[in-house]
């Protein structure tokens, strides 16, 4: 019972950290901001406003459980001072760019560098420093090596989440190109919550909260706390399929994770390499973001209007179009045997047969195929296809 009480009180620590509340606020705001763009582009809502909040709490919590077990048996611990810095850096990243800068490489990397700087130059944290944010008896080399491995693990998790969930329910919209024409685009935007259960050595936290449980391992005292790791991802594309883009970026992040893990192994012998690992992670993650932003800006636009058909951007869930195998970037050239070039043409062709929809679609390679589905009452004008057309 005592162990369960310690764990439950450790969970309470999550609600004492402001980054948790700020992340939830930004996730909710992102959902309603997305709906604003959906209505502006297509005059209809595509996904629920709570989609981002649902993603925030689902897969990441399961991943956190597995990592927490690993950290628990490895004896991993964090310092209160590092945790304070981590909260501040994560909040700054969210306030600066919402999801884009909330990569583990940036939040953990910068937090660890700032922590080391404060330790090396004995930077004081104000009136709380002497009592609660002690650096005394800290084996900073071992701690930095441990943080390097935590960063590598977090990057592996980030790569996995980007690959498997970032392209699910991508947000389509119509944006103006450099020539002033409306073109289709996808915004891949996710924020994942990874609540890690970690040790804090010593009993300093009881100076702040007397009720905080303390337990002993050998001759050392520890407390449990939740590390609210927030991993964010945001990338816009007008030149690639969302699934392709997410796989490409995931591969880059996975490669970075392997490098950081390798440097972590070397840093056991040469501790100063940990600083190089954090700098490499930060610069590399910025480079990955900038590289794909630049590539998308320079590449031909996949979702631009075409004169010989109507470009598909997506399909609303639960609509008749969702029953057909339609892929963004493909082009509808005929509906019920009638050539179409505009939305008006398409709905005129649907009136030929109100109980059935037969589309001739040109795929990415210019090869035609037929997609068809039955239409039920009142569905002929509610196909749910998201289109890119000249305006």
């Amino acid at each position: 019972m005592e162990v369960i009480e310690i764990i439950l009180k450790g969970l309470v620590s999550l609600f004492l950290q402001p980054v948790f509340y700020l992340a939830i606020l930004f996730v909710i705001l992102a959902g309603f901001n997305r709906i604003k763009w959906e209505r502006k582009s297509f005059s209809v809502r595509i996904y629920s406003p709570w989609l981002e909040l649902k993603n925030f709490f689902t897969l990441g919590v399961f991943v956190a459980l597995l990592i927490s077990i690993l950290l628990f048996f490895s004896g991993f611990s964090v310092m209160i001072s590092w945790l304070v810095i981590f909260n501040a850096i994560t909040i700054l990243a969210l306030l600066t760019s919402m999801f884009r800068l909330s990569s583990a490489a940036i939040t953990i990397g910068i937090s660890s560098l700032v922590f080391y700087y404060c330790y090396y130059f004995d930077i004081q944290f104000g009136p709380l420093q002497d009592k609660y944010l002690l650096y005394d008896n800290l084996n900073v080399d071992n701690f930095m090596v441990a943080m390097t491995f935590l960063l590598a693990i977090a990057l592996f998790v980030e790569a996995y989440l980007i690959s498997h969930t970032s392209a699910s329910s991508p947000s389509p919209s119509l944006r103006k190109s450099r020539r002033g024409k409306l073109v289709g685009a996808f915004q891949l935007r996710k924020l994942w919550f990874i609540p890690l259960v970690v040790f804090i050595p010593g009993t300093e936290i009881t100076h702040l909260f007397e009720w905080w449980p303390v337990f002993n391992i050998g001759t050392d005292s520890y407390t449990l706390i939740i590390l609210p790791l927030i991993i964010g991802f945001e990338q816009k594309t007008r030149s690639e399929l969302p699934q392709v883009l997410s796989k490409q970026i995931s591969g880059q992040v996975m490669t970075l994770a392997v490098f950081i893990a390798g440097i972590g192994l070397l840093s056991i012998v040469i501790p100063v390499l940990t600083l190089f690992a954090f700098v490499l992670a930060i610069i590399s993650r910025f480079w990955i973001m900038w590289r794909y932003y630049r590539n998308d800006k320079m590449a031909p636009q996949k979702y631009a209007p075409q004169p010989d058909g109507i470009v598909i951007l997506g399909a609303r869930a639960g609509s008749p179009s969702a029953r057909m195998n339609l892929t963004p970037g493909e082009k509808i050239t005929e509906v019920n045997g009638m050539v179409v070039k505009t939305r008006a043409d398409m709905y005129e062709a649907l009136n030929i047969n109100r109980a059935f929809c037969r589309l001739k679609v040109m795929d990415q390679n210019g090869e035609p195929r037929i997609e068809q589905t039955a239409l039920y009452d009142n569905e002929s004008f509610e196909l749910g296809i998201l289109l890119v057309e000249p305006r």
Side-chain angles (χ1 to χ4, degrees):
M1 293 297 295
E2 183 180 355
V3 174
I4 296 176
E5 181 183 359
I6 290 173
I7 293 174
L8 290 177
K9 288 186 175 179
L11 292 174
V12 172
S13 68
L14 174 63
F15 301 101
L16 302 176
Q17 301 182 64
V19 67
F20 175 66
Y21 300 101
L22 189 65
I24 292 177
L25 174 62
F26 274 105
V27 165
I28 294 173
L29 291 176
F32 285 93
N33 181 65
R34 170 180 50 77
I35 286 182
K36 182 187 74 173
W37 276 103
E38 290 172 352
R39 294 189 186 280
K40 182 178 180 180
S41 299
F42 309 107
S43 301
V44 68
R45 190 190 78 182
I46 299 172
Y47 301 116
S48 165
W50 309 109
L51 177 65
E52 285 79 2
L53 189 61
K54 177 183 176 182
N55 292 330
F56 182 70
F57 283 110
T58 50
L59 183 60
V61 176
F62 175 73
V63 172
L65 177 61
L66 298 179
I67 299 176
S68 295
I69 294 173
L70 174 63
L71 296 179
F72 183 87
F73 285 102
S74 66
F76 175 81
S77 62
V78 300
M79 304 302 297
I80 300 179
S81 48
W82 185 92
L83 189 62
V84 171
I85 295 170
F86 174 79
N87 269 264
I89 296 298
T90 304
I91 289 173
L92 184 61
L94 288 170
L95 290 174
T96 303
S97 65
M98 292 186 70
F99 300 174
R100 192 181 301 276
L101 296 182
S102 298
S103 166
I106 295 172
T107 55
I108 294 179
I110 294 179
S111 298
S112 299
L113 289 175
V114 172
F115 171 84
Y116 188 84
Y117 179 87
C118 293
Y119 167 80
Y120 189 82
F121 291 100
D122 194 24
I123 303 296
Q124 298 297 306
F125 279 74
L128 296 180
Q129 174 67 30
D130 293 337
K131 288 186 177 181
Y132 309 128
L133 301 178
L134 299 177
Y135 292 125
D136 296 345
N137 303 319
L138 168 66
N139 190 332
V140 71
D141 288 342
N142 289 344
F143 177 72
M144 296 294 280
V145 170
M147 295 310 301
T148 303
F149 283 113
L150 176 64
L151 174 57
I153 292 172
L155 285 173
F156 278 117
V157 171
E158 183 174 332
Y160 173 81
L161 292 173
I162 291 173
S163 174
H164 289 79
T165 68
S166 68
S168 63
S169 306
S171 177
S173 63
L174 297 177
R175 306 291 178 105
K176 281 190 176 182
S177 67
R178 285 176 291 180
R179 296 183 179 181
K181 295 183 179 180
L182 284 179
V183 298
F186 284 98
Q187 187 83 0
L188 281 65
R189 177 187 289 177
K190 291 288 190 296
L191 199 67
W192 300 284
F193 176 51
I194 317 290
L196 301 179
V197 181
V198 296
F199 290 114
I200 291 184
T203 60
E204 286 81 8
I205 198 169
T206 59
H207 297 144
L208 284 171
F209 307 100
E210 295 181 357
W211 51 265
W212 207 282
V214 177
F215 60 99
N216 298 318
I217 299 179
T219 58
D220 299 320
S221 298
Y222 293 90
T223 55
L224 281 180
I225 199 169
I226 297 293
L227 171 63
L229 179 60
I230 307 294
I231 296 180
F233 173 73
E234 183 175 350
Q235 202 79 34
K236 184 174 72 175
T237 179
R238 295 177 296 180
S239 60
E240 278 289 0
L241 291 172
Q243 294 81 2
V244 173
L245 178 67
S246 64
K247 294 293 183 183
Q248 291 175 349
I249 296 178
S250 172
Q252 297 281 321
V253 176
M254 183 69 72
T255 301
L256 176 60
V258 172
F259 272 101
I260 299 301
I263 297 173
L265 290 173
L266 292 175
S267 65
I268 296 175
V269 181
I270 312 174
V272 73
L273 288 178
T274 57
L275 301 180
F276 173 72
F278 298 131
V279 173
L280 176 65
I282 296 166
I283 294 176
S284 297
R285 196 63 185 90
F286 272 109
W287 178 79
I288 291 171
M289 287 187 289
W290 177 83
R291 177 192 177 193
Y292 283 97
Y293 167 79
R294 182 177 180 277
N295 287 350
D296 184 68
K297 194 172 182 180
M298 303 299 294
Q301 296 167 345
K302 183 182 287 290
Y303 312 110
Q306 301 293 326
D308 56 344
I310 311 174
V311 175
I312 300 169
L313 195 57
R316 291 179 61 198
S319 66
S321 59
R323 300 195 291 265
M324 295 183 279
N325 185 28
L326 302 177
T327 302
E330 294 182 329
K331 184 169 52 180
I332 300 173
T333 58
E334 292 183 13
V335 177
N336 291 341
M338 176 179 171
V339 175
V340 296
K341 296 182 179 180
T342 66
R343 185 188 298 267
D345 293 342
M346 184 179 73
Y347 286 117
E348 181 182 347
L350 287 172
N351 282 325
I352 296 175
N353 186 347
R354 290 175 176 263
F356 195 75
C357 176
R358 186 173 186 270
L359 306 180
K360 183 177 180 180
V361 179
M362 303 293 290
D363 66 15
Q364 306 285 347
N365 299 317
E367 297 293 330
R369 75 173 191 279
I370 300 298
E371 295 289 344
Q372 53 192 13
T373 185
L375 296 178
Y376 304 103
D377 291 342
N378 300 321
E379 281 192 338
S380 59
F381 288 95
E382 293 293 340
L383 282 180
I385 303 179
L386 307 177
L387 303 173
V388 182
E389 55 182 334
R391 292 187 183 179

